[in-house]
């Protein structure tokens, strides 16, 4: 499939001042691409978890579109300052009767033997841990997953029960 990235966005790890031992190299890194690009969107997240969520969504999209499809990854700045991470594909879509269940643990809309049904539920948990949401919009022509991550710096640390 063809995968396009329509906007530059950075995934940056928030750290506590108490964690300075682990972040000595980060304080002197002034050559970060996001620092040099005024159009880059930046959210403070657990980068491992958000990357995992994006990878799971892209893996699902690749399964849906096959070799002839197209997948698009976008970062969109919302009006409220949040960042929407959008993974969209032109696969066959998710049936209406399946869509209400896709974020349930161990639910799989695929045929038996393909998938355990934990990927999208894991994405839902990750989004919630970041004080955000994940939604799915789907039709016969397009499926779009949107992870909304608040940009507020006063939210609780990702992964600490938020």
């Amino acid at each position: 499939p063809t995968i396009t990235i329509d906007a530059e966005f950075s995934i940056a790890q928030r750290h506590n001042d108490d964690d300075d031992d682990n972040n000595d190299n980060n304080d002197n890194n002034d050559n970060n691409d996001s620092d040099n690009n005024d159009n880059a969107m930046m959210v403070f997240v657990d980068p491992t978890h958000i990357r995992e969520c994006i990878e799971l969504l892209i893996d699902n999209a690749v399964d849906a579109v096959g070799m002839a499809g197209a997948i698009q990854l976008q970062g969109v700045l919302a009006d409220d300052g949040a960042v929407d991470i959008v993974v969209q594909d032109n696969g066959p879509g998710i049936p209406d009767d399946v869509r209400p269940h896709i974020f349930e643990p161990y639910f799989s809309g695929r045929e038996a033997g393909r998938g355990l049904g934990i990927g999208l539920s894991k994405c839902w948990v990750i989004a919630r841990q970041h004080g955000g949401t994940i939604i799915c919009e789907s039709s016969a022509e397009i499926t779009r997953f949107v992870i909304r991550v608040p940009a507020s710096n006063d939210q609780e640390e990702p992964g600490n029960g938020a």
Side-chain angles (χ1 to χ4, degrees), residues 43-46 48-54 56-57 82-85 103 118-136 145-151 155-162:
V43 292
F44 294 95
V45 297
D46 179 322
T48 302
H49 287 151
I50 292 295
R51 280 190 191 110
E52 181 177 12
C53 189
I54 292 169
L56 287 165
L57 293 173
V83 172
D84 289 345
I85 302 168
F103 297 114
I118 58 173
L120 290 177
S121 65
K122 186 182 271 191
C123 289
W124 184 86
V125 168
I126 290 169
R128 298 286 294 166
Q129 286 177 332
H130 287 82
T133 59
I134 183 170
I135 61 166
C136 174
F145 284 89
V146 180
I147 307 164
R148 176 163 283 196
V149 181
Q155 73 181 21
E156 190 173 335
E157 278 293 310
N160 288 341

Side-chain angles (χ1 to χ4, degrees), residues 13-23 156-157 160:
Q13 183 171 11
R14 180 190 311 197
H15 64 87
N16 291 332
D17 292 335
D18 298 337
D19 293 337
D20 283 341
D21 296 344
N22 299 330
N23 293 307
E156 190 173 335
E157 278 293 310
N160 288 341

Side-chain angles (χ1 to χ4, degrees), residues 26-103:
N26 293 343
D27 293 337
N28 298 323
N29 187 1
D30 292 331
N31 295 325
N32 187 327
D33 288 340
S34 64
D35 293 341
N36 298 326
N37 185 346
D38 292 336
N39 295 324
M41 288 170 266
M42 187 171 219
V43 292
F44 294 95
V45 297
D46 179 322
T48 302
H49 287 151
I50 292 295
R51 280 190 191 110
E52 181 177 12
C53 189
I54 292 169
E55 288 171 4
L56 287 165
L57 293 173
I58 290 174
D59 287 348
N60 282 352
V62 167
D63 284 346
V65 302
M67 292 306 294
I71 300 166
Q72 186 176 35
L73 173 63
Q74 287 181 298
V76 179
L77 186 60
D79 291 338
D80 63 358
V83 172
D84 289 345
I85 302 168
V86 182
V87 178
Q88 177 176 299
D89 69 63
N90 66 349
I94 300 170
D96 291 342
D97 61 326
V98 170
R99 203 169 324 125
H101 306 286
I102 60 173
F103 297 114

